[in-house]
């Protein structure tokens, strides 16, 4: 059902875990089947210095989480924001049609984390 | 590494003896059972011999056994055939909400045709209450269909009690049971269950796929399922699949002789597996009744994790199992059975079904018990829900 690349990310997921003092945290839920994905980022000088994820979901959900973290680690926020659900699925060499909605989680969680970071920044700016 | 197959409720490997019995009928004994020359007579004899073996296993007369293409067809035939033939008597059907889709989707289709269907709820173990059946009977009821045992959670339904209630009614109400999961696992005798129709499948009892049977009690008013030639007493036309029927018959004969011994072996392995899981993994629930369950069925839910991930991890260790998680179903809805016993979506998500078979050993069970906690742990470490759960005590 899944290609080798997906299975590789599923069985050896990169960047699993939490960042305790994260600069941004994004959590999204899957409206289709009820799964949850959470992404933590550490940002320095506009660069995603560290990123970790936690996911409650299927093989595709775990593989896309792992993939998205690998894709944006070391990238600027602008570059990270350009990553879409589609590019994540493509980077994995495609997902089964019934699983396409899972790939929606990964980029959304990442963008939510960046948004969270930016919100915190502007708050700091106000203080 | 040897594969550990624990999905016998899904299908079973065909036995060597079954294949051997079938082989001649695929080659030299290819005759059509409807012809009069020796080749045809040979096929006819094999057909009737198999019918007798199936009948013996379920305590029926051979004349009450009709071959079909499998359990799903048997269910379809029972429901549609009774509904259509007894339209003038009423249009109400009673079933349960945990039936196999072969029954549920057929009922939904019958609803579109104007029949009224009552879907009875079940309790937290998955039991249908005989009282509920009784209270749902109306002057329009023509058919009750309740499965003998549930394919997912293994709960064995009180079919005999329900059957007695139905027999006591003044009007004739037909009673069908889908016994696909029980035949060959526990004793199934049609008269002890008080049923008029009963579905059987071959590939769940180490026979070939694509063949099954419907028991139709003598005197039952039912419409033929397929029209055409005179096969199956003009009720199910089409040249008989003799090799498959021979294999099915052989499988029935073999399992009948071993029923008691298999029951003991399987329930021992089942209990070892359940105990091992419950004792070694926290946040786990057993689905179905602890004792009133199929001897080969284990169904549990692990909190905070998802079933497909679990299955993929087990598969990497060459363990074959199944799950009722939304992510494993094409519809992305969790199992209707797990929801019906009251599990919330997120718990149904983490369901695992292990169904044992005659080739499984104590070593297999122990291997699964050795592997499983690590997999569950790994997935929980990845789960945001588990992290929240772990933090909870600190907050209170
Ligand atoms: S997370 Fe449910 S199908 Fe992928």
């Amino acid at each position: 059902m899944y290609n080798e690349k997906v299975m590789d990310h599923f069985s050896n997921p990169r960047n699993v875990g939490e960042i305790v003092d994260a600069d941004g945290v994004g959590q999204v839920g899957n409206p289709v089947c009820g799964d949850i994905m959470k992404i933590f980022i550490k940002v320095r000088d506009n660069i995603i210095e560290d990123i970790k994820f936690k996911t409650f979901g299927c093989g595709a959900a775990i593989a896309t989480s792992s993939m998205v973290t690998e894709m944006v680690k070391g990238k600027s926020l602008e570059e990270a924001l350009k990553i879409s659900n589609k590019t994540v699925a493509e980077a994995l060499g495609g997902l089964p049609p019934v699983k396409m909605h899972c790939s929606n989680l990964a980029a959304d969680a990442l963008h939510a984390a960046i948004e969270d970071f930016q919100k915190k920044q502007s708050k700091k700016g106000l203080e | 590494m040897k594969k550990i197959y624990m999905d016998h409720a899904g299908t079973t490997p065909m036995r060597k003896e079954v294949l051997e019995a079938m082989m001649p009928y695929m080659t030299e004994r290819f005759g059509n059972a409807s012809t009069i020359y020796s080749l045809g007579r040979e096929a006819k004899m094999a057909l009737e011999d198999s019918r007798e073996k199936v009948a013996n296993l379920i305590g029926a007369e051979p004349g009450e056994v009709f071959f079909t293409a499998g359990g799903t067809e048997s269910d379809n035939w029972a429901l549609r055939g009774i509904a259509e033939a007894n339209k003038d008597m009423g249009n109400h059907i009673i079933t349960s909400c945990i039936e196999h889709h072969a029954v549920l989707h057929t009922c939904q289709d019958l609803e579109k045709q104007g029949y009224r269907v009552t879907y009875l709820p079940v309790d937290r173990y998955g039991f249908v209450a005989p009282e509920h059946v009784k209270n749902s009977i109306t002057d329009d009821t023509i058919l009750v269909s309740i499965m003998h045992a549930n394919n997912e959670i293994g709960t064995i339904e009180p079919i005999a009690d329900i059957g007695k209630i139905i027999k006591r009614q003044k009007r004739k109400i037909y009673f069908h049971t889908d016994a696909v999961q029980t035949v060959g696992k526990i004793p199934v005798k049609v008269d002890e269950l008080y049923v008029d129709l009963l579905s059987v499948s071959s590939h769940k009892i180490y026979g070939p796929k694509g063949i099954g049977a419907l028991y139709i009690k003598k005197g039952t008013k039912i419409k033929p399922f397929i029209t055409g030639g005179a096969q199956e007493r003009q009720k199910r036309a089409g040249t008989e699949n003799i090799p498959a029927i021979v294999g099915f018959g052989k499988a029935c004969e073999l399992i009948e002789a071993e029923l008691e011994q298999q029951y003991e072996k399987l329930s021992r392995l089942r209990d070892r597996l359940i105990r091992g899981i419950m004792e070694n993994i926290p946040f786990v629930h057993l689905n179905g009744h602890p004792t009133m369950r199929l001897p080969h069925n284990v169904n549990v839910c692990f909190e905070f994790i998802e079933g497909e991930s679990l299955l993929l991890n087990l598969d990497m260790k060459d363990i074959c199992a199944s799950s009722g998680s939304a992510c494993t179903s094409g519809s992305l809805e969790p199992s209707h059975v797990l929801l019906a016993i009251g599990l919330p979506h997120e718990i149904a998500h983490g369901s695992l079904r292990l169904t044992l078979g005659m080739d499984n050993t104590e070593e297999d069970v122990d291997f699964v018990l050795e592997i499983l906690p690590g997999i569950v742990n790994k997935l929980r470490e990845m789960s945001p829900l588990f992290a929240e759960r772990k933090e909870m005590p600190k907050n209170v």
Side-chain angles (χ1 to χ4, degrees), chain A residues 1-2 7 10-13 16-18 27 32-38 53-62 98-99 101-102, chain B residues 304-306 308-310 312-313 316 326-333 345-346 349-350 378-385 387-388 391:
Chain A
M1 171 162 103
Y2 294 129
M7 280 311 287
F10 169 73
S11 40
N12 305 297
V16 179
E18 271 173 58
Q27 175 164 331
V32 184
C33 50
D35 303 282
I36 297 166
M37 191 180 292
K38 201 166 179 180
F53 82 86
K54 284 216 162 175
T55 292
F56 164 62
C58 74
I62 291 173
V98 63
K99 295 289 182 182
H101 71 278
C102 308
Chain B
F304 320 118
I305 63 173
E306 187 281 321
E308 188 200 89
S309 310
L310 192 57
L312 290 170
N313 273 296
M316 288 190 260
C327 304
T328 57
S329 79
S331 65
L332 297 173
E333 277 287 317
H345 275 233
E346 67 273 19
H349 235 39
K378 175 180 160 196
L379 290 171
R380 280 182 176 165
E381 288 306 321
M382 241 188 257
S383 166
L385 297 177
E388 283 157 25
E391 280 163 15

Side-chain angles (χ1 to χ4, degrees), chain B residues 106-121:
Chain B
T106 303
C107 281
Q108 283 158 14
D109 190 45
L110 287 168
E111 278 183 290
K112 283 187 205 132
Q113 294 172 35
Y115 292 90
R116 206 162 53 78
V117 182
T118 300
Y119 300 92
L120 295 175

